[in-house]
Amino acid sequence: MADLTVTVTVATGTHYIEGGSGHVYFFNGSQPTDFTFPWVEDGTVRLDQSGSSNDDHPLIFSTSNSTDLTTMRAGIISSGVTYYLDGSSTEADYTDADTFNAATTRYIEITPASATDFYFACWVHGIGMGG
């Protein structure tokens, strides 16, 4: 059970790193002004991406903030992070836009085992949507 549930939506906002505007992630209706992730120390955060604005924008966590999509994807964090589609845990399906879009319930739960820097990004569009 999550200690904090955050509703994720996608709307127009300021891109991380590159600047300018375009599609970005909003948490509970607001884009974080400092591009940081809402956190619960020693707890689990659930990010609910079930809303249709998230179609084609599967959020992932990465150790890389590279603007190169391949490099950012190579850093995907799987330890302490579980990706769910319609109640089933499947990272491969979560990062596939077709299966992601077809699901009606989409969420991620993150419970890190230790303090570390990480980034949130769109699997399809990269770090610019995240922070």
Side-chain angles (χ1 to χ4, degrees), residues 2 7 16-18 25 27 29 35 43 47 56 60-62 70-72 80 82 89 92 94 97 102 104 113 116 123:
T7 300
Y16 178 66
I17 297 180
E18 301 113 1
Y25 292 112
F27 300 136
F35 300 102
L47 290 100
D56 295 319
I60 59 107
F61 292 100
S62 179
T70 302
T71 302
M72 185 274 307
T82 309
S89 169
Y94 201 93
T104 56
T116 185
W123 179 261

Side-chain angles (χ1 to χ4, degrees), residues 17-18 25 56-77 95 97 119-130:
I17 297 180
E18 301 113 1
Y25 292 112
D56 295 319
H57 303 296
L59 186 149
I60 59 107
F61 292 100
S62 179
T63 57
S64 172
N65 70 343
S66 176
T67 57
D68 178 79
L69 196 57
T70 302
T71 302
M72 185 274 307
R73 286 177 173 174
I76 192 170
I77 299 172
T95 56
Y119 304 91
F120 60 97
C122 177
W123 179 261
V124 176
H125 301 102
I127 193 69
M129 288 187 65

Side-chain angles (χ1 to χ4, degrees), residues 8 12 20 29 34-35 48 58-59 62 66-67 76 79 84 86 89-90 96 105-106 108 111 115 117 121-122 125 128:
V8 180
T12 301
D34 54 0
F35 300 102
D48 183 355
L59 186 149
S62 179
S66 176
T67 57
I76 192 170
S79 178
Y84 293 94
D86 292 332
S89 169
T90 170
D96 179 286
T105 304
R106 309 176 284 207
I108 305 162
T111 309
D117 288 337
C122 177
H125 301 102

Side-chain angles (χ1 to χ4, degrees), residues 16-68:
Y16 178 66
I17 297 180
E18 301 113 1
S21 67
H23 287 117
V24 297
Y25 292 112
F26 282 65
F27 300 136
N28 293 330
S30 299
Q31 181 182 11
T33 56
D34 54 0
F35 300 102
T36 59
F37 179 75
W39 197 247
V40 176
E41 189 170 347
D42 299 321
T44 300
V45 178
R46 177 181 285 190
L47 290 100
D48 183 355
Q49 280 200 279
S50 296
S52 63
S53 70
N54 289 286
D55 287 356
D56 295 319
H57 303 296
L59 186 149
I60 59 107
F61 292 100
S62 179
T63 57
S64 172
N65 70 343
S66 176
T67 57
D68 178 79

